[in-house]
Amino acid sequence: MKLIPRRATGASWSCLTLAFLLVLCCCHIVIILGQKSESALTVVENTEEDDGVVGDEEEEVAVDEDGGNLEVVQPTEEWQTLKPGQAVPAGSHVRLNLQTGQREVRLGEEKLKYWTQEHREKEEIQSLFNPDELKQALKKMKEDLNPVSKDTDQQDSVASRFRPIEELKRDLAQLDLQVETDVQIMRQLLDQFNSSKSTTEQKLSILQELEYLVHQVDNAQTLCSMGGLQLVLDGLNSSDFRLQENSAFVLGSAVSSNPAVQVKVVEGGALQTLLTILATTQPLRVKKKVLFAVASLLRNFPYAQRHFLSHGGLQVLSELFRADGGGVLRTRIVTMLYDMISEKELISQAGLDPMLDASHEERVRQYARVSLQGELLEKGWCSLVPQLLESTEHDYREKALRALLAMAPVCSDQYRSDSSLLGSLLSLKHQYQEMIQSEMILGEESGYFVEIVDLIDALQVKMK
């Protein structure tokens, strides 16, 4: 019978099968141990779940110091797949993804804790540029900073817009400019004027330049100290009316608001010369400039006003007023008289102030010695000024009315007896009232004419 051997054979087969399975298990264990030894990983079991991968095994790994030439992976805060033979730094987390069968690594919890935004930005910047790109950028910067490497056409276009420095230096050297002060210029002008070679045209040009310079107070005083005042006086005494005109213009500009020059001009006898020109037959253009010089000399200067009155200045002006038919000189004369009266009135009112200092008191005393109003009454100005109201010019009429108001304290009696003055005031008032009504109908402003009517009303009140 062969039944026993078959049983023996079946049992043997079962033993062989079991032994084969054991060998397979051993091989698998050997392979695993070999991989562990090869990558030098220390496995630590971790039962935590991460990123939704259930059942993954997470390991904490450390690099074996004897690893030699192993490729070390730099983990990030995201999981990344590990390739065979790769190692990771100490403190990194490694897991086995059971779904893919791949090992994955990321930064450990301690490093993630201190992984700030600054580290992320640095890594992003480092990832944006590779070494080749950085080298190219540095090379381009050097080329931009180096003028030799710029385009030749661009250099030519820039150079064409500017002159060479050598050419500029040469031109400046050729100019050889010399800056002169006003004092030096006036000295040269005076020397040229006194030169026997100077023509009349050249002298006229010199006087025009001097008139421009003496508007400055210091220049006018310097001109007097240089002897320029005598030059002007010689021009006033010239037989050429053009020299007279321009010399009077220089004199009037020099004395305007300049007390030091005013004193020297009066002491130099210029006032008598000016009055002589006004009293003689001269062209109108000359007399206009001479009146300008006289008015500038008398303004705010009581010492000159006293000399003007003592030398018959009002008599000279009254004759000039009567001889002027056009009204141009009349208006200038009346304006000058009004200014003199207003000055004295203002100073007299200021003299009542007990807080005045010594200088103001002396000024009040000087104006008190100017007997202007008595001279106006004596020389017939109370009847002369109203004649200017006959002019058709509104400006002339306005100046006449203001002068009549200023003279009213000494002339009111004569105003009342002057029937022509009363008739002129009534006629002018009616005329200007009609003009005011017409302008109001047209919707225009009539302030100027209203002011003239107010002056007429004020003068009528003084005459009552």
Side-chain angles (χ1 to χ4, degrees):
M1 301 272 314
K2 296 180 179 182
L3 294 173
I4 295 174
R6 294 179 74 88
R7 289 178 182 175
T9 301
S12 298
W13 178 255
S14 299
C15 292
L16 290 173
T17 302
L18 181 60
F20 179 74
L21 293 175
L22 290 174
V23 170
L24 287 177
C25 290
C26 292
C27 291
H28 182 68
I29 292 172
V30 170
I31 292 172
I32 293 176
L33 292 175
Q35 290 180 350
K36 176 179 179 181
S37 175
E38 187 176 359
S39 58
L41 297 179
T42 301
V43 182
V44 179
E45 294 184 0
N46 193 333
T47 58
E48 293 179 356
E49 297 179 0
D50 189 78
D51 293 343
V53 183
V54 182
D56 288 349
E57 296 178 357
E58 188 173 332
E59 305 168 347
E60 184 176 354
V61 298
V63 179
D64 189 355
E65 295 181 357
D66 298 331
N69 297 325
L70 292 178
E71 180 183 357
V72 181
V73 177
Q74 297 297 331
T76 63
E77 50 186 327
E78 300 292 337
W79 288 106
Q80 55 182 326
T81 303
L82 278 175
K83 297 180 180 179
Q86 290 181 333
V88 296
S92 303
H93 285 187
V94 179
R95 74 178 182 183
L96 180 62
N97 193 326
L98 298 181
Q99 296 179 358
T100 62
Q102 300 291 332
R103 289 185 305 150
E104 299 175 348
V105 65
R106 73 170 185 181
L107 285 174
E109 295 296 334
E110 291 299 323
K111 288 193 175 183
L112 280 176
K113 180 179 180 181
Y114 299 103
W115 193 254
T116 61
Q117 182 65 26
E118 181 180 357
H119 295 87
R120 297 188 179 93
E121 292 177 354
K122 287 182 179 180
E123 284 203 349
E124 289 176 357
I125 294 174
Q126 291 175 357
S127 63
L128 289 176
F129 300 99
N130 56 40
D132 294 336
E133 292 176 343
L134 292 175
K135 289 180 180 179
Q136 292 295 330
L138 290 174
K139 183 178 179 182
K140 188 175 184 303
M141 290 174 61
K142 291 181 179 179
E143 292 177 353
D144 293 339
L145 295 175
N146 187 5
V148 179
S149 62
K150 291 185 178 179
D151 185 56
T152 305
D153 295 337
Q154 183 178 1
Q155 290 181 356
D156 295 340
S157 63
V158 173
S160 63
R161 291 158 49 191
F162 301 97
R163 298 174 62 188
I165 187 64
E166 292 77 10
E167 183 180 349
L168 292 175
K169 290 181 178 179
R170 185 174 61 256
D171 292 345
L172 291 175
Q174 291 176 354
L175 289 177
D176 192 19
L177 296 177
Q178 181 180 2
V179 179
E180 294 181 336
T181 63
D182 289 349
V183 176
Q184 294 172 331
I185 294 174
M186 288 190 295
R187 171 60 64 187
Q188 294 178 4
L189 292 175
L190 292 178
D191 293 341
Q192 294 174 10
F193 191 92
N194 293 324
S195 175
S196 58
K197 298 180 180 180
S198 297
T199 63
T200 302
E201 297 298 331
Q202 291 175 337
K203 291 183 177 180
L204 291 175
S205 177
I206 291 172
L207 289 173
Q208 292 175 357
E209 292 188 36
L210 288 175
E211 191 277 329
Y212 172 78
L213 291 171
V214 297
H215 280 281
Q216 298 186 24
V217 174
D218 295 340
N219 288 343
Q221 297 175 3
T222 303
L223 181 65
C224 291
S225 64
M226 288 181 176
L229 179 58
Q230 187 60 45
L231 178 147
V232 174
L233 292 178
D234 293 342
L236 290 174
N237 292 320
S238 173
S239 58
D240 192 321
F241 71 91
R242 295 176 299 172
L243 290 176
Q244 289 181 328
E245 177 187 3
N246 284 273
S247 297
F249 196 21
V250 173
L251 184 64
S253 300
V255 299
S256 295
S257 303
N258 199 332
V261 179
Q262 286 177 318
V263 173
K264 292 182 179 180
V265 169
V266 174
E267 293 178 348
L271 183 58
Q272 293 89 319
T273 304
L274 294 173
L275 292 176
T276 301
I277 295 175
L278 292 176
T280 57
T281 303
Q282 298 290 346
L284 177 63
R285 54 190 295 182
V286 174
K287 292 187 176 182
K288 288 168 63 175
K289 286 296 188 291
V290 171
L291 275 176
F292 163 70
V294 172
S296 300
L297 182 59
L298 301 182
R299 186 175 299 114
N300 297 318
F301 191 29
Y303 177 72
Q305 293 178 13
R306 287 177 55 196
H307 278 72
F308 172 75
L309 296 176
S310 63
H311 287 82
L314 284 180
Q315 182 63 35
V316 173
L317 292 183
S318 63
E319 294 176 359
L320 187 61
F321 186 93
R322 292 185 177 93
D324 180 41
V328 177
L329 297 180
R330 286 186 173 187
T331 306
R332 293 172 184 260
I333 293 171
V334 169
T335 302
M336 183 172 61
L337 295 178
Y338 171 75
D339 291 339
M340 293 173 62
I341 297 171
S342 301
E343 285 177 19
K344 184 174 182 179
E345 183 65 23
L346 291 175
I347 293 297
S348 300
Q349 293 177 359
L352 303 176
D353 188 356
M355 302 302 293
L356 287 178
D357 56 16
S359 62
H360 283 82
E361 291 179 357
E362 176 61 26
R363 192 168 182 79
V364 171
R365 286 192 294 268
Q366 290 179 3
Y367 271 101
R369 292 196 292 266
V370 180
S371 57
L372 178 60
Q373 293 180 341
E375 290 285 338
L376 290 172
L377 181 60
E378 182 180 348
K379 296 301 187 293
W381 284 99
C382 296
S383 59
L384 287 176
V385 176
Q387 296 179 18
L388 191 57
L389 295 176
E390 299 174 1
S391 173
T392 58
E393 297 290 335
H394 301 301
D395 182 58
Y396 294 177
R397 294 173 179 176
E398 178 196 356
K399 287 181 170 57
L401 289 171
R402 293 187 183 278
L404 289 171
L405 273 173
M407 295 165 54
V410 295
C411 297
S412 57
D413 293 337
Q414 293 195 20
Y415 289 167
R416 297 188 190 97
S417 61
D418 191 346
S419 58
S420 61
L421 175 59
L422 295 175
S424 297
L425 292 177
L426 291 174
S427 175
L428 289 175
K429 183 176 181 179
H430 179 71
Q431 177 184 349
Y432 282 111
Q433 285 178 341
E434 289 182 350
M435 296 173 67
I436 293 171
Q437 292 294 330
S438 300
E439 289 186 345
M440 292 179 62
I441 293 174
L442 297 174
E444 299 178 358
E445 295 184 359
S446 56
Y448 178 71
F449 296 142
V450 171
E451 185 177 355
I452 293 179
V453 172
D454 292 340
L455 290 174
I456 295 174
D457 291 337
L459 184 58
Q460 288 176 337
V461 171
K462 295 284 185 180
M463 294 170 60
K464 291 181 179 179

